[in-house]
Amino acid sequence: MGLNNMKILLTGGAGFIGSAMIRYIINHTEDSVMNVDKLTYAGNLESLTTVSHNPRYQFAQVDIGDKVRMPQIFDEYQPDVVMNLAAESHVDRSIDSPDAFLQTNILGTYNLLEISRRYWQNLSDERKEKFRFHHISTDEVFGDLEDTNALFTEQTPYSPNSPYSASKASSDHLVRAWQRTYGLPTVITNCSNNYGPFHFPEKLIPLMILNALAGKPLPVYGDGGQIRDWLFVEDHVRALYLVITQGKIGERYNIGGFNERKNIEVVQTICSLLDELRPQSTPYADLISFVKDRPGHDRRYAIDATKIKQELSWQPEHSFERGMRKTVQWYL
């Protein structure tokens, strides 16, 4: 695939991972990017202020489910690559009101696939060959690894346990079907828990940092023993770029941080860093409180990222300790 001056249409670019991806594209490549984002509560254009005036960056406030405006954007922008990062992604919210998750994650992805298919079919043979549809998903589609030392591989059967993960699993299946049935050149990536600067404060790490700084309780679900594999967002977006430039059509790549940690260990790490960087009279760990666990809470996720390491020579550059220090310092 030609790597120079690609035109990337990226959905959900005002979100946490999407904005990091756009900053990477503008700062480390010669490509252009069109950011399509509905700007829900989790979208924040301030995370793009360092690149928003760059001539290679454009923004359109549009819902990916919009059947009128989205085809117009394709016709006007003429993308070489579509990266679909638009998603409702907060598990607690999906339990309280699943509707938005089904609308965006399933029907929105379906709309994007259909528009991409029609657009791709009308491209010249040369541009058809270069076109990619990259769907960015989650390890939560695989379900729970409780009572096993196994890791999620690209062959792990889907077993989603929340409305959020079920909606993402559905979108993954649609992408696979559009590749097999229509020949649309797609690739899917499934990542572990991301963290880093610009993260929306309802997620575990930013919530704990901001609560601690405000002297508020640090609420930990259940016994805090849930295990997640933590991936620094800057490592993730490097992997995503490798996938659109070097990944194989029809393939799936798992992207993980090789950093399994219990939730309570994550919170304790944050407290220790704050004790060092913003000391106060009492330890921040005194603010930890255990609260009722959420329904259907998976105990363990862990990704085997061997395939992307071997095939695309990617591995994370940040240890958990280094990434957490950078994250806490950013919030400070």
Side-chain angles (χ1 to χ4, degrees):
M1 180 173 187
L3 305 187
N4 292 328
N5 302 32
M6 285 189 300
K7 297 177 78 173
I8 299 169
L9 191 157
L10 190 147
T11 68
F16 172 48
I17 300 172
S19 63
M21 189 73 241
I22 289 173
R23 291 192 303 272
Y24 180 87
I25 291 167
I26 297 299
N27 292 327
H28 297 280
T29 80
E30 296 175 4
D31 304 328
S32 303
V33 61
M34 164 63 83
N35 174 14
V36 176
D37 197 294
K38 185 178 170 183
L39 291 186
T40 61
Y41 72 94
N44 182 6
L45 290 177
E46 287 183 20
S47 54
L48 292 163
T49 49
T50 57
V51 299
S52 59
H53 298 295
N54 191 294
R56 291 184 287 116
Y57 170 79
Q58 296 178 59
F59 170 67
Q61 185 175 351
V62 180
D63 185 336
I64 60 167
D66 189 325
K67 289 185 162 73
V68 175
R69 190 71 189 100
M70 282 306 300
Q72 293 172 347
I73 288 173
F74 272 74
D75 290 341
E76 293 161 11
Y77 188 64
Q78 291 287 306
D80 303 302
V81 174
V82 175
M83 299 185 76
N84 183 29
L85 290 110
E88 293 284 344
S89 66
H90 195 244
V91 177
D92 288 356
R93 284 179 186 262
S94 81
I95 294 168
D96 295 336
S97 66
D99 185 70
F101 290 75
L102 308 190
Q103 289 293 333
T104 296
N105 299 355
I106 302 176
L107 294 177
T109 299
Y110 160 69
N111 191 47
L112 202 57
L113 282 165
E114 272 296 87
I115 295 165
S116 297
R117 178 173 72 89
R118 291 194 292 268
Y119 167 80
W120 169 72
Q121 285 174 334
N122 288 315
L123 292 174
S124 67
D125 288 346
E126 185 186 356
R127 291 196 63 207
K128 248 186 184 172
E129 189 69 28
K130 290 182 177 179
F131 186 80
R132 297 286 184 275
F133 184 105
H134 180 186
H135 180 66
I136 289 83
S137 190
T138 171
D139 59 358
E140 297 194 35
V141 298
F142 301 124
D144 200 346
L145 287 171
E146 187 174 16
D147 301 327
T148 173
N149 291 322
L151 301 170
F152 295 137
T153 71
E154 287 79 3
Q155 283 73 47
T156 299
Y158 277 38
S159 185
N161 292 319
S162 72
Y164 160 60
S165 56
S167 69
K168 287 298 288 185
S170 301
S171 66
D172 290 12
H173 292 322
L174 289 173
V175 174
R176 175 186 164 87
W178 259 243
Q179 195 273 319
R180 287 292 295 263
T181 302
Y182 302 111
L184 185 69
T186 68
V187 63
I188 298 172
T189 52
N190 297 80
C191 68
S192 57
N193 280 34
N194 278 228
Y195 70 102
F198 297 101
H199 209 171
F200 191 72
E202 71 185 353
K203 301 287 188 167
L204 176 70
I205 288 174
L207 178 70
M208 294 300 157
I209 295 169
L210 296 171
N211 273 20
L213 291 171
K216 294 178 182 176
L218 308 182
V220 176
Y221 277 134
D223 61 1
Q226 301 87 0
I227 295 170
R228 299 293 181 262
D229 174 20
W230 290 95
L231 173 63
F232 193 61
V233 70
E234 292 172 17
D235 288 326
H236 185 199
V237 299
R238 275 194 308 106
L240 296 181
Y241 192 79
L242 278 173
V243 168
I244 61 168
T245 53
Q246 298 177 33
K248 293 178 187 168
I249 290 170
E251 290 290 328
R252 165 194 306 283
Y253 298 91
N254 282 356
I255 307 171
F258 301 99
N259 280 313
E260 286 187 62
R261 294 289 188 284
K262 292 180 180 177
N263 283 350
I264 187 64
E265 293 172 342
V266 173
V267 178
Q268 288 166 341
T269 299
I270 291 167
C271 291
S272 298
L273 283 164
L274 288 172
D275 285 337
E276 174 196 338
L277 299 169
R278 184 67 64 85
Q280 57 175 23
S281 56
T282 56
Y284 285 95
D286 289 354
L287 297 169
I288 294 173
S289 64
F290 294 92
V291 298
K292 184 183 176 188
D293 209 350
R294 73 174 173 223
H297 200 172
D298 293 333
R299 286 296 285 184
R300 176 174 170 257
Y301 305 142
I303 271 188
D304 181 350
T306 302
K307 178 176 175 177
I308 191 170
K309 186 176 181 181
Q310 289 179 345
E311 293 187 12
L312 304 184
S313 301
W314 174 88
Q315 60 183 28
E317 293 176 353
H318 292 78
S319 66
F320 183 72
E321 291 70 25
R322 182 180 169 220
M324 280 298 297
R325 180 173 290 272
K326 282 175 79 165
T327 303
V328 170
Q329 286 172 328
W330 185 85
Y331 279 95
L332 288 173

